[in-house]
Amino acid sequence: MEIHDSGLYAAFKAKDNRFDGRFFVGISSTGIYCRPICKAKQAKEENCTFFQSAAEAEQAGFRPCLLCRPELAPGKSVADANVNLSYRAAKLLEETCTYKLSIQELAEQLGYTDRHLRRVFTAEYNVSPVQYLQTCRLHLAKQLLTDTNLTVLEIAMAAGFGSLRRFNAVFKEQYRLTPTQLRKKVITKPTVDEITLSLSYRPPYRWNEILTFLKSRAIEGVEAVIDDKYMRTVRLKNIKNEKIEGWIKVSHNEEKESLNLTVSHSLLSVLPQVLARTKKMFDIYCNPEIIYQALKPMNKIIKDSCVLGTRLPGCFDSFEMSVRAILGQLITVKAAGTIAARIAKTYGHEIQTGINGLTHTFPSSEDIIALENIEESFGVLGVTSAKSRTILQLAELVQTAELNLDFCVNPETEMKKLLAITGIGNWTAQYIAMRAMEWTDSFLETDAGVKKALSGYSAKEMLSIAEEWRPWRSYAVINLWQTL
């Protein structure tokens, strides 16, 4: 999208939700910036300046609109990013905004120099990574001030400001209001032992389909789908390297075109991680119109196979999902789920959630490595010796950071590392890349479901057909599965 395209004002005037989060509008007559779907009185075109990101609008001196709330806009999708590195960097900044990591440390996680990261990031977002990071913190704080009754101190810590004094100073400098003054302008929710935040998406969103997918693969004790809500246990490390446990619930608010994320209060210190992982799991950043237009040729092969709004189910815990994928080799989805549940109950951490069915967190790579003899430990649970050794190799690579499942800029490089693990073949590597690495171009030509959907075609013919679906073949796979 060319940011200076004269059609942007037309999209703003039409309140076109396809552009929500893809650009922001600064209004010179008011000094505020809005989402393109804002329902405030329409500004004149000569008073509008268009920005590629909220951070760029704030650096230009504009304050966020209190009506459309730019902090709720869906983020950029990989389809909008000219450079994959900048997209991955932005998501890493969002998830680690409470950590005191330098840009050099962030760049090293992504496998590049800090100089190159700054250059690419600034070219894509028109702000530096540090400026983008500050906006991430401010937006999280603003959402918590508006939607919860957490204390201002709790919010300052949760958003990564380090101190109340620093939070007040930055907030007032950027928004011309103190946090307390902003809170007086909104009606906050009653105090409870949980936090509920909205995650906006670009409609349409096929909620029932993604929920069905996750339900069929849920690990008993760790995950549950009840009353159209997805729930799971959570165990993460905070900035002090302490293990924090809790739970989340995700439900659909179709009227507001958003998902509601409810988080136990115990997860406040790792809230940015929880938000980022949930957005990834439910493919919040997806731009469905772009993907649909690219995959429409599928309908010539299988009628109505490509449906607008289909999401690519990600995962909350990449290691957990990868173990689940290894367990699922050559057995049914249900059988793999049964074994995964045994592993969680035996070697996971018991947790009190107050939610029926959520009793354990899944063991981490660290927990797996700590087992004295994984073949014996897993063998009694129904895992073959070969799969046990594969899981151990995976855990060791993840623990030493030799394998990057979450923020890899080049998924194909990480897939080669997966393929080097004894017991991981092309299907498993492609599946892990698709769900853990947000790799949009996986294709599973040997998958039983794909072969059934494309019955009559050989593997070679399926690969040839799928060439037309690049770089969205992962979405094509999901669409094919959903035809069955």
Side-chain angles (χ1 to χ4, degrees):
M1 180 186 68
E2 291 294 333
I3 201 62
H4 300 297
D5 187 340
S6 60
L8 293 185
Y9 183 75
F12 178 41
K13 190 174 182 180
K15 312 304 176 192
D16 193 334
N17 56 26
R18 292 176 302 171
F19 290 90
D20 191 16
R22 299 185 68 196
F23 71 87
F24 295 86
V25 188
I27 314 296
S28 60
S29 56
T30 62
I32 66 171
Y33 72 96
C34 301
R35 297 159 67 179
I37 61 169
C38 187
K39 295 181 180 179
K41 183 179 178 180
Q42 185 67 35
K44 296 180 180 178
E45 186 170 5
E46 58 265 28
N47 293 334
C48 295
T49 304
F50 299 100
F51 300 99
Q52 293 199 57
S53 66
E56 184 186 3
E58 294 195 3
Q59 289 302 312
F62 291 94
R63 306 184 308 278
C65 175
L66 296 180
L67 179 62
C68 68
R69 300 181 60 191
E71 72 272 14
L72 299 183
K76 275 194 172 186
S77 74
V78 68
D80 300 317
N82 293 326
V83 182
N84 191 38
L85 172 59
S86 60
Y87 171 82
R88 302 285 177 177
K91 300 302 167 277
L92 180 57
L93 287 168
E94 291 172 18
E95 181 162 344
T96 61
C97 70
T98 57
Y99 290 75
K100 307 302 180 184
L101 298 178
S102 67
I103 298 303
Q104 182 177 349
E105 289 172 316
L106 290 170
E108 286 174 356
Q109 285 196 42
L110 296 167
Y112 288 84
T113 65
D114 56 333
R115 183 180 179 183
H116 181 66
L117 175 60
R118 286 189 178 93
R119 183 172 63 249
V120 170
F121 195 93
T122 302
E124 178 67 24
Y125 290 95
N126 287 337
V127 292
S128 69
V130 171
Q131 291 168 329
Y132 189 91
L133 177 62
Q134 177 174 288
T135 300
C136 289
R137 289 171 174 164
L138 286 169
H139 276 191
L140 176 57
K142 185 174 179 295
Q143 187 173 10
L144 292 173
L145 283 166
T146 304
D147 294 341
T148 76
N149 257 332
L150 294 169
T151 68
V152 176
L153 177 59
E154 285 179 313
I155 291 171
M157 296 300 105
F161 284 94
S163 72
L164 183 58
R165 182 179 180 181
R166 173 65 178 163
F167 175 45
N168 283 325
V170 173
F171 201 92
K172 186 174 183 179
E173 179 185 359
Q174 196 68 42
Y175 294 160
R176 285 96 156 157
L177 287 171
T178 66
T180 303
Q181 288 172 327
L182 173 69
R183 178 160 266 180
K184 288 179 180 178
K185 293 176 177 288
V186 298
I187 300 174
T188 53
K189 297 180 179 181
T191 302
V192 291
D193 291 331
E194 57 189 43
I195 303 158
T196 299
L197 300 172
S198 294
L199 307 178
S200 298
Y201 58 74
R202 296 178 185 87
Y205 192 106
R206 300 188 73 199
W207 170 253
N208 290 335
E209 284 71 17
I210 196 169
L211 202 64
T212 298
F213 182 95
L214 295 173
K215 183 177 182 179
S216 66
R217 291 160 179 80
I219 300 173
E220 185 180 347
V222 177
E223 305 170 280
V225 175
I226 303 172
D227 297 331
D228 289 330
K229 296 182 180 68
Y230 172 83
M231 297 172 278
R232 69 164 291 126
T233 59
V234 174
R235 190 167 186 251
L236 297 168
K237 289 184 179 180
N238 65 11
I239 191 172
K240 298 178 182 178
N241 208 36
E242 300 167 331
K243 293 174 181 176
I244 306 298
E245 295 181 339
W247 54 264
I248 65 169
K249 291 181 187 177
V250 184
S251 59
H252 188 210
N253 189 333
E254 187 173 5
E255 183 180 350
K256 293 187 176 181
E257 297 176 349
S258 66
L259 302 185
N260 288 337
L261 169 64
T262 301
V263 181
S264 64
H265 192 279
S266 61
L267 295 175
L268 186 59
S269 66
V270 291
L271 186 57
Q273 291 185 64
V274 172
L275 284 167
R277 288 167 180 243
T278 305
K279 290 175 181 178
K280 170 184 169 181
M281 184 174 195
F282 288 91
D283 202 11
I284 286 292
Y285 296 116
C286 173
N287 195 322
E289 186 66 35
I290 289 177
I291 295 166
Y292 178 70
Q293 291 301 324
L295 294 182
K296 274 199 304 185
M298 289 180 65
N299 294 331
K300 298 176 182 178
I301 300 171
I302 303 175
K303 185 179 179 182
D304 299 327
S305 57
C306 178
V307 182
L308 179 63
T310 297
R311 257 45 179 197
L312 178 62
C315 65
F316 192 90
D317 185 317
S318 295
F319 178 71
E320 172 192 299
M321 193 285 300
S322 299
V323 172
R324 178 73 170 69
I326 293 167
L327 294 173
Q329 295 170 344
L330 304 177
I331 61 174
T332 65
V333 171
K334 184 177 180 180
T338 299
I339 297 173
R342 292 173 189 161
I343 292 174
K345 186 175 181 180
T346 308
Y347 298 111
H349 291 252
E350 192 170 355
I351 179 175
Q352 300 298 320
T353 64
I355 300 173
N356 186 34
L358 297 187
T359 59
H360 291 78
T361 60
F362 197 80
S364 64
S365 57
E366 185 179 358
D367 296 326
I368 296 299
I369 293 170
L371 297 176
E372 289 186 9
N373 187 319
I374 193 169
E375 292 182 45
E376 290 183 6
S377 300
F378 276 16
V380 295
L381 303 179
V383 185
T384 65
S385 295
K387 286 184 180 180
S388 297
R389 291 191 295 270
T390 299
I391 291 170
L392 179 59
Q393 287 184 59
L394 174 74
E396 290 170 343
L397 289 175
V398 168
Q399 188 63 21
T400 57
E402 294 177 59
L403 177 66
N404 187 343
L405 294 175
D406 292 304
F407 296 108
C408 49
V409 176
N410 298 305
E412 288 170 301
T413 299
E414 303 306 313
M415 287 164 65
K416 290 179 181 178
K417 296 177 185 177
L418 285 170
L419 289 168
I421 298 174
T422 304
I424 290 184
N426 185 62
W427 182 94
T428 307
Q430 293 278 355
Y431 183 77
I432 291 174
M434 180 173 76
R435 295 197 56 202
M437 305 178 200
E438 296 180 277
W439 179 231
T440 63
D441 204 31
S442 287
F443 190 70
L444 312 178
E445 74 278 4
T446 61
D447 178 79
V450 170
K451 288 195 290 186
K452 186 174 181 180
L454 292 172
S455 60
Y457 294 96
S458 67
K460 185 177 181 180
E461 288 171 331
M462 284 190 281
L463 282 170
S464 177
I465 292 169
E467 281 296 309
E468 189 177 0
W469 303 336
R470 288 183 182 272
W472 309 112
R473 293 186 302 172
S474 297
Y475 286 89
V477 169
I478 299 298
N479 275 293
L480 290 172
W481 282 345
Q482 290 180 356
T483 65
L484 303 176

